[in-house]
Amino acid sequence: MSPPVNDIRRPSALLGRRLLALFYDFWPALALWMLISAAFTLGYTLAGHASRDNIPAFSALQWLLWLCCWLVAGVYATVSWKRGGQTLGMRPWQLHLRTASGELPNARMLWKRYAVGSVSLLCGGLGFWWALLDREGLTWHDRLSGTRLVRVPKQS
């Protein structure tokens, strides 16, 4: 159970901690992507294609595979955030996801955060780097989803 965050004036998480947490979260996401890719490859092989053939580039099946990978990573992130305000990667850095009022966000806010964060990453991380210019240190996905990452030190 994550500690309550009652003080909404807590400083936003520093960009370095955000990026380190994202790096940590890459690994469970990669494992999930590998499982989905294995399932797609098995299905492709069972459909009569030679086992050495790959799913054709830019085919509908490959786009479906990418969509499934994006969705499963989104489920991992949103379920983690909903259950305790943290993903596995956020725990060592003491980061918690909250609304501007300090509460746990709802599912709509979480999916909006995930979608905007994905666009931010596709833009070379521009939405993350925005936090260096923002007066409150918020990223695009913080602002647009009404959420924020805060650092909550461990309680003794």
Side-chain angles (χ1 to χ4, degrees):
M1 182 175 192
S2 61
V5 182
N6 296 329
D7 185 4
I8 61 171
R9 293 170 293 147
R10 281 187 192 275
S12 292
L14 297 175
L15 182 60
R17 285 181 180 269
R18 288 174 183 265
L19 295 177
L20 287 168
L22 186 63
F23 178 73
Y24 278 38
D25 281 326
F26 170 74
W27 301 107
L30 180 63
L32 292 169
W33 296 339
M34 291 173 77
L35 287 172
I36 289 173
S37 297
F40 267 73
T41 302
L42 180 61
Y44 188 70
T45 302
L46 292 176
H49 301 278
S51 61
R52 66 183 181 280
D53 290 344
N54 289 329
I55 296 172
F58 303 107
S59 66
L61 188 60
Q62 187 188 45
W63 285 108
L64 180 62
L65 171 59
W66 280 110
L67 176 63
C68 288
C69 288
W70 183 80
L71 287 173
V72 78
V75 168
Y76 159 74
T78 57
V79 168
S80 296
W81 291 330
K82 189 69 175 166
R83 290 187 62 188
Q86 293 179 300
T87 59
L88 290 173
M90 293 164 65
R91 290 179 185 174
W93 304 105
Q94 303 167 348
L95 300 177
H96 295 264
L97 185 66
R98 296 292 188 261
T99 64
S101 63
E103 300 168 0
L104 284 174
N106 62 38
R108 184 169 187 235
M109 297 167 91
L110 297 175
W111 277 101
K112 184 183 256 188
R113 178 182 179 81
Y114 179 70
V116 175
S118 298
V119 170
S120 172
L121 286 174
L122 289 173
C123 293
L126 192 56
F128 285 89
W129 301 118
W130 180 259
L132 295 173
L133 304 173
D134 189 274
R135 57 180 149 52
E136 295 179 49
L138 301 176
T139 60
W140 287 353
H141 41 286
D142 290 330
R143 289 254 176 233
L144 294 173
S145 67
T147 61
R148 61 183 58 217
L149 276 184
V150 294
R151 182 169 179 237
V152 180
K154 292 180 183 175
Q155 297 175 346
S156 315

